[in-house]
Amino acid sequence: MESQPHILFISSWYPNRTNSTHGIFNQHFAKAAALHHKVSVLHVCSEQGLNAKMEAVTETKESLFTQYVYTSKITIGIPLLSHWLKHRRLIKAYELGFELVKQKQGLPTLIHLNIVLPAGLGVLYLHKKHKIPFVVNEGWTGYMKEDGNYRGFFVKYFTQKIIKAASAILPVSKDLQEVMQSHGLKGKYKTIPNVIQTDVFDIRPTSSLALSAVEGSS
């Protein structure tokens, strides 16, 4: 029996071979967690021009195991059929990716979901099939009135379903927590800000920053 939990990070936004900076803060979060726990990453994304329906790619960089599953884009012009086919392929991609993670890294004991949609659809499926608890780390501004992208029946329906099934909701700010709760997204909340590299960013008290500004202008 493993002495430490095995956390599987699954992110809606994550760096990949077509976009090396997409959701890079989620990658930094996974690296930070890997300093203290066993962490694996599973990322599913579509790729234009992919010859096969799905392609699995494994990468280990800076001691972080990452299992990618790339899927070809579905371009059928019938909306309902297109959505159904995309959802079906998404679930199959998560099934494949999860099995590969399990074979190479062992069975995860917790899933850490970054950004509810669309990855939460795969997480909800894995949660129900394998009885693995999951938490939601949310940083999407679409819930905010100024953004206004939290709209539409399917977005709200699946978001509420995923949030309800989560063991905890971890927004990146108190403001985001409050606006999520104002949408009726109830659960056990705890604010966890985005991680930063302290060897790059210098954190100093406000008074020191103000003093540096004054000295710089003199």
Side-chain angles (χ1 to χ4, degrees):
M1 188 172 181
E2 293 186 348
S3 59
Q4 61 175 338
H6 177 195
I7 304 172
L8 178 61
F9 268 67
I10 296 181
S11 302
S12 293
W13 311 334
Y14 200 81
N16 55 74
R17 65 188 181 190
T18 58
N19 191 334
S20 61
T21 60
H22 186 54
I24 197 167
F25 44 87
N26 292 326
Q27 185 180 61
H28 288 313
F29 201 149
K31 288 179 180 178
L35 296 174
H36 305 283
H37 302 287
K38 181 178 180 179
V39 171
S40 301
V41 176
L42 170 59
H43 184 55
V44 172
C45 62
S46 63
E47 183 177 270
Q48 190 73 42
L50 194 68
N51 292 324
K53 288 183 179 180
M54 286 187 285
E55 180 185 347
V57 177
T58 303
E59 176 183 288
T60 301
K61 187 180 292 185
E62 298 178 35
S63 300
L64 185 64
F65 175 90
T66 304
Q67 181 63 59
Y68 291 97
V69 180
Y70 294 94
T71 64
S72 59
K73 288 185 178 292
I74 293 174
T75 57
I76 293 175
I78 305 171
L80 287 177
L81 179 59
S82 177
H83 286 307
W84 181 79
L85 290 172
K86 286 178 182 177
H87 183 265
R88 185 182 177 192
R89 186 167 296 178
L90 181 78
I91 296 304
K92 285 185 175 295
Y94 276 106
E95 281 186 316
L96 172 62
F98 184 84
E99 288 304 315
L100 291 172
V101 170
K102 190 170 68 170
Q103 289 172 18
K104 298 170 184 177
Q105 293 287 92
L107 183 68
T109 53
L110 176 69
I111 297 175
H112 183 113
L113 168 62
N114 298 105
I115 317 301
V116 172
L117 291 175
L121 299 173
V123 169
L124 191 62
Y125 172 82
L126 296 174
H127 164 70
K128 290 181 176 180
K129 182 176 180 180
H130 300 283
K131 310 302 180 188
I132 300 173
F134 72 96
V135 298
V136 173
N137 171 227
E138 186 59 279
W140 185 47
T141 59
Y143 302 99
M144 302 287 188
K145 183 175 66 175
E146 294 81 1
D147 186 309
N149 276 311
Y150 181 66
R151 63 179 186 270
F153 173 80
F154 289 108
V155 168
K156 291 186 176 182
Y157 173 78
F158 285 112
T159 298
Q160 289 169 0
K161 199 168 185 178
I162 292 162
I163 291 292
K164 185 177 180 180
S167 297
I169 302 97
L170 314 174
V172 298
S173 71
K174 191 69 176 177
D175 286 344
L176 183 55
Q177 173 182 328
E178 290 173 355
V179 78
M180 288 177 72
Q181 289 173 323
S182 74
H183 287 295
L185 300 173
K186 298 177 181 179
K188 185 178 179 182
Y189 281 81
K190 181 177 176 60
T191 301
I192 297 184
N194 282 323
V195 300
I196 62 168
Q197 293 177 284
T198 54
D199 58 337
V200 175
F201 297 96
D202 184 16
I203 304 173
R204 290 177 289 169
T206 304
S207 57
S208 298
L209 293 172
L211 181 60
S212 296
V214 171
E215 292 174 345
S217 62
S218 60

